[in-house]
Amino acid sequence: MKLSELAARTRTSTATLKFWIREGILPPGELRNQTTAVYGEGHVERIALVRTLREEFDLPIARIRALVVRIDDPGVPLLDIMEECQLIATGLRAGDAGQDARVPRLLADVGWPDATSVARDALSAALRDAEAVGVTFGRETLARYARMLAEFAREDIASIRTDGTRDAVARALLQGAAAQTRVLVALNQLAHTSAAISDALARGQAGGAALGAGPAEADPAGPAD
């Protein structure tokens, strides 16, 4: 298809597509002659990925370029691409201050592989960020959270389809991880809200019993004159 047809199909202006080609995030078309280039399904999938990164995650062009360069490099394992997409989707960062000592200890406690990964770096950074604002996570707490998430993680990994192009896999992972993160955060918020309400109700009932308060009863003597 020609550039104008690609623009119509993807609902993206030709000016934007030309800009993305110049920026190196969209491959140029295949030249048919000196003035005409044609585009294929690979361009459609790349545009879908770029639009997702721009519109849903507000990623700058430089960060998109860094990601697609890795996607286009057959020497970069798909697992590395998937991890990077998870970081983008969750808003976590890998950090550069080295490993937090709690991470290898956690991996040993729950029996997870002690392998270098951006996810491991992201947990180290998150723990340090939390500690900086006075929020600490003990060894048993971290292990309990990890064990609860392990089953869900295995189900998620089993459901991921990797038989499509790397662009398609990356886009599906971005959207899936972002949706899952929103649900998990919302569930966590609901759990805290429900626990606070239940606690408040329990304390209110206990306080009422201690004070002898209860449902209003009619005064047997009748109303005072």
Side-chain angles (χ1 to χ4, degrees):
M1 72 188 88
K2 295 181 179 180
L3 185 65
S4 58
E5 296 170 320
L6 180 65
R9 179 169 171 184
T10 60
R11 298 182 180 180
T12 308
S13 70
T14 56
T16 296
L17 296 182
K18 290 178 180 178
F19 173 69
W20 288 350
I21 292 172
R22 290 196 303 271
E23 289 295 319
I25 61 177
L26 179 65
E30 179 185 349
L31 286 176
R32 283 291 176 84
N33 52 53
Q34 291 183 343
T35 59
T36 304
V38 294
Y39 303 83
E41 292 303 312
H43 292 88
V44 174
E45 292 190 350
R46 174 57 57 84
I47 291 167
L49 173 61
V50 172
R51 290 193 60 164
T52 295
L53 291 167
R54 291 289 288 161
E55 296 170 6
E56 297 182 30
F57 299 99
D58 196 27
L59 223 63
I61 292 295
R63 182 86 186 274
I64 295 175
R65 186 188 303 111
L67 175 62
V68 299
V69 164
R70 301 191 75 203
I71 288 175
D72 291 338
D73 183 351
V76 177
L78 181 59
L79 179 61
D80 290 358
I81 304 299
M82 294 166 68
E83 280 192 321
E84 188 167 348
C85 289
Q86 284 184 312
L87 285 183
I88 294 170
T90 59
L92 293 172
R93 61 181 182 85
D96 54 7
Q99 287 293 321
D100 187 290
R102 287 168 289 185
V103 175
R105 190 172 60 203
L106 169 67
L107 296 174
D109 286 344
V110 298
W112 289 352
D114 192 353
T116 300
S117 68
V118 293
R120 175 176 170 154
D121 292 344
L123 178 57
S124 288
L127 288 172
R128 286 193 294 269
D129 290 345
E131 198 165 50
V133 295
V135 179
T136 58
F137 293 87
R139 181 172 182 171
E140 290 302 320
T141 298
L142 283 175
R144 187 169 70 250
Y145 286 169
R147 292 189 182 101
M148 286 190 293
L149 290 169
E151 181 178 351
F152 297 106
R154 285 191 293 268
E155 293 176 358
D156 289 342
I157 292 297
S159 68
I160 294 175
R161 294 188 57 184
T162 58
D163 53 351
T165 66
R166 284 157 70 104
D167 280 343
V169 171
R171 181 168 180 258
L173 185 60
L174 283 162
Q175 294 180 316
Q180 183 185 60
T181 298
R182 287 192 293 270
V183 170
L184 289 176
V185 170
L187 277 173
N188 183 60
Q189 180 68 35
L190 181 57
H192 280 78
T193 300
S194 299
I197 292 172
S198 297
D199 183 63
L201 290 173
R203 284 187 288 106
Q205 292 171 355
L211 295 173
E217 298 180 358
D219 184 349
D225 293 331

